[in-house]
Amino acid sequence: MAKLYYDKDADPSLIKGRKVAVLGYGSQGHAHAQNLADSGIDVRVGLREGSSSKEKAQEAGLRVLSIHDAADEADLIMVLLPDTEQPDVYARDIESTLNEGDALFFAHGFNIHFGQIKPPPYVDVAMVAPKSPGHLVRRTYEQGGGVPSLVAVAQDHSGKARDLAISYAHALGATRAGVLDTTFSEETETDLFGEQAVLCGGVTGLMQAGFDTLVEAGYQPESAYFECLHEMKLIVDLIYEEGIKGMRYSVSDTAEYGDMTRGPKVVDDHVRQTMREILGDIRSGKFAEEWIAENKAGRPNFNELRRKAAEAPIEKVGEELRAMMPFISSGHKGVRDVSGG
Ligand code: NAD
Ligand code: MG
């Protein structure tokens, strides 16, 4: 049976007794730092030299130090830097600051699970991973709610690492929504699988294929865009709120019949087999190895794929149509504002 923690399961005093450093002020960093500060936690933000986020963090009333000094001062370090940057920053600015009994926290398991960061045995290593983009971690907290999160422990030196992680999740607002107990391997492997096969890769692949099929058959790209991309959110919102059954209740019987008879033909045994192969490459470490090598080489393939994807017809027509609906893109701008500094 899955184990879920809620407010009543947390001991808020554990995190209150800590000096917390939040490293990075991007999507997750700005939300963790502000939520923790609002929960009365002693938090400082660690940023690299010349970071454009420095002013934003200070405007939010946060104390900003260098990454090294923040880590040095703290006895709980939450690493919210891009996963690809973490190993270098860890070696340069964090490792030497770790004292016996310190806690090293992550919001994703990649670097610990795939051995890119190897902390010393005398610290706790744990994860608090919101299952949500950072701007929602902040917004739902401000509204009195929270986002579901995962906690896991990779190394339990103190014997209290899990309780400490739950206490951190409480200060973040996550125990209001539910915190699922997991492991670094489960979080890392399911997270990579989800983003590759379903959430990012799966969804965009499906939209792209649907759009191309309609355009190829001679329909207007604008029709194809509304049908295969724009409406996705409306349908997904219904599923998010009421489950698949609730969505099917809201659409017409014709749509429901088409859904139940044609859906399994689109995502057929071949697709399921491909999903198993994708999962296999994640579990064997093959994907991680490929991505680490790609980064070491300066991302030639990644940059080329990104450039090509930006030129796709679905993006061109989408840009024009969304320009007429400026009201739908405010959330996205909010995310961008806090990233990349
Ligand atoms: P981000 O890219 O939004 O922000 C990273 C921060 O680190 C920024 O402040 C950036 O300026 C800074 N930074 C970048 N390179 C740096 C370097 N070399 N040295 C020092 N600082 C540097 O990252 P994010 O999306 O918030 O991700 C942080 C962690 O949270 C990752 O482990 C990620 O997997 C995890 N996570 C992210 C999300 C999400 O929705 N974005 C959700 C769950 C977990
Ligand atoms: Mg994720």
Side-chain angles (χ1 to χ4, degrees):
M1 220 8 221
K3 208 162 173 181
L4 277 149
Y5 305 106
Y6 293 93
D7 283 349
K8 63 172 173 39
D9 305 308
D11 176 357
S13 73
L14 294 178
I15 187 76
K16 286 225 166 84
R18 292 287 182 141
K19 293 200 273 285
V20 177
V22 171
L23 306 184
Y25 202 71
S27 176
Q28 289 293 322
H30 87 285
H32 286 236
Q34 292 187 58
N35 290 9
L36 259 55
D38 287 354
S39 294
I41 309 306
D42 174 14
V43 55
R44 74 261 312 118
V45 174
L47 295 178
R48 62 182 153 181
E49 219 49 55
S51 166
S52 68
S53 303
K54 186 172 177 180
E55 251 174 53
K56 272 178 238 153
Q58 286 174 334
E59 273 164 25
L62 296 158
R63 235 178 102 228
V64 177
L65 303 169
S66 70
I67 299 236
H68 174 273
D69 291 352
D72 200 24
E73 214 180 80
D75 51 21
L76 190 160
I77 299 159
M78 173 51 105
V79 184
L80 296 175
L81 309 167
D83 297 301
T84 47
E85 302 287 327
Q86 289 180 13
D88 284 350
V89 178
Y90 174 81
R92 196 178 54 231
D93 291 326
I94 304 173
E95 191 167 24
S96 66
T97 73
L98 294 174
N99 298 313
E100 162 131 31
D102 282 0
L104 188 61
F105 274 34
F106 295 87
H108 178 40
F110 190 99
N111 286 305
I112 293 293
H113 179 63
F114 291 117
Q116 300 302 295
I117 292 176
K118 295 195 174 82
Y122 48 79
V123 300
D124 287 346
V125 180
M127 170 174 18
V128 179
K131 289 280 93 184
S132 155
H135 71 287
L136 285 178
V137 175
R138 179 60 184 156
R139 196 195 298 160
T140 52
Y141 177 93
E142 286 181 296
Q143 292 165 343
V147 300
S149 301
L150 307 177
V151 291
V153 172
Q155 193 166 289
D156 192 3
H157 174 73
S158 68
K160 294 215 115 200
R162 180 166 280 97
D163 292 338
L164 184 59
I166 296 166
S167 189
Y168 183 104
H170 181 268
L172 193 60
T175 48
R176 296 169 180 169
V179 171
L180 179 68
D181 199 53
T182 183
T183 60
F184 270 65
S185 37
E186 182 173 84
E187 186 276 337
T188 305
E189 291 168 2
T190 57
D191 189 75
L192 290 172
F193 177 79
E195 65 202 19
Q196 292 176 20
V198 181
L199 304 175
C200 307
V203 162
T204 58
L206 194 62
M207 289 171 160
Q208 189 72 65
F211 177 88
D212 291 347
T213 302
L214 288 176
V215 172
E216 232 174 64
Y219 298 98
Q220 302 181 79
E222 289 79 2
S223 294
Y225 180 87
F226 283 137
E227 200 51 52
C228 298
L229 191 147
H230 182 81
E231 261 198 72
M232 178 74 87
K233 174 177 164 35
L234 313 178
I235 292 298
V236 168
D237 278 353
L238 289 172
I239 297 173
Y240 176 81
E241 286 163 20
E242 308 284 346
I244 292 173
K245 191 169 130 200
M247 178 279 285
R248 286 178 174 160
Y249 175 81
S250 292
V251 300
S252 69
D253 288 358
T254 310
E256 186 177 355
Y257 180 74
D259 162 352
M260 294 187 297
T261 55
R262 269 53 176 184
K265 289 191 183 178
V266 175
V267 180
D268 60 5
D269 285 344
H270 174 73
V271 173
R272 285 169 187 261
Q273 186 49 33
T274 304
M275 284 190 175
R276 285 183 206 110
E277 284 162 22
I278 287 170
L279 182 60
D281 285 352
I282 292 167
R283 292 167 65 126
S284 71
K286 192 172 166 215
F287 171 79
E289 210 174 280
E290 176 187 322
W291 179 223
I292 291 162
E294 173 70 13
N295 276 284
K296 288 205 169 120
R299 301 186 164 191
N301 193 31
F302 176 84
N303 290 334
E304 178 60 11
L305 288 168
R306 189 185 250 179
R307 193 190 57 75
K308 270 206 204 125
E311 287 172 358
I314 195 171
E315 294 286 61
K316 297 264 182 263
V317 67
E319 234 167 77
E320 284 159 25
L321 292 171
R322 288 193 307 274
M324 302 307 288
M325 305 181 282
F327 46 87
I328 65 173
S329 72
S330 56
H332 180 66
K333 290 208 182 78
V335 184
R336 281 281 163 247
D337 276 353
V338 293
S339 311

